Amino acid sequence: MFDTVFGIPTHALVVHAVVVLAPLTALLLVLVAVSERLRARIGIALPLLATVSAISGFVAKESGESLERRVGESNLVEEHAELGDVLPIILIAVAVLTWVIWLVWRRTPRDVEAGAAKPSALLRVLLAVGVLAAIGLAVDVTLVGHSGAKAVWSGIGSQPAPSGGEGDDD
């Protein structure tokens, strides 16, 4: 199931979703934490996005393990696999956190005239944890992505370019 799609490794396709969705989730989580107005505008979109990110992360991990069996082990692949094992856990934790933040925020009484709510102590703590989680998620997805790029592209720059094509300096 996680091996190939139309002959292309599933991991190569799904990893792009994680590379886009995880940082977007982290960014929106920070915005939700710092602004009541943005919290209201973003609303349920953040927990939904975080959930899709977590699912994508799980599929990327499983398809990566399938791809690892195909390409064999190397130090770079092993480093990427070890880092990649942690990312779905972080994504699931962030998804759960965003749902809890959204639920607590929704249950916070609002001043009808002002339209704003004074955040409870619980919500303030959750939002602070959310900022830390967003930073951790951004760092982890960067490390995993970088190690994956190194595993794929290592040695490419040291190989001579084929002659006779575009870009020859001759």
Side-chain angles (χ1 to χ4, degrees), residues 113-147:
E113 289 182 21
K118 182 175 192 254
S120 66
L122 174 60
L123 183 58
R124 286 193 304 267
V125 168
L126 289 170
L127 293 172
V129 170
V131 170
L132 295 175
I135 292 168
L137 174 57
V139 168
D140 195 53
V141 78
T142 301
L143 292 173
V144 173
H146 181 71
S147 69

Side-chain angles (χ1 to χ4, degrees), residues 25-118:
T25 299
L27 174 64
L28 290 180
L29 183 51
V30 170
L31 293 176
V32 159
V34 299
S35 171
E36 169 72 25
R37 186 176 59 81
L38 290 175
R39 198 173 311 136
R41 290 192 69 132
I42 294 168
I44 197 167
L46 175 58
L48 291 173
L49 175 66
T51 301
V52 172
S53 295
I55 292 167
S56 298
F58 172 76
V59 173
K61 177 189 175 300
E62 293 301 315
S63 63
E65 289 176 359
S66 179
L67 182 60
E68 183 180 16
R69 287 189 291 276
R70 271 184 185 268
V71 300
E73 290 189 28
S74 72
N75 289 340
L76 292 174
V77 170
E78 188 61 33
E79 175 189 353
H80 177 62
E82 287 177 12
L83 288 169
D85 284 343
V86 177
L87 186 56
I89 297 166
I90 294 171
L91 287 166
I92 289 168
V94 167
V96 169
L97 178 62
T98 60
W99 280 107
V100 171
I101 288 170
W102 182 75
L103 289 170
V104 169
W105 175 76
R106 292 286 295 165
R107 298 195 188 291
T108 302
R110 307 233 182 310
D111 180 352
V112 177
E113 289 182 21
K118 182 175 192 254

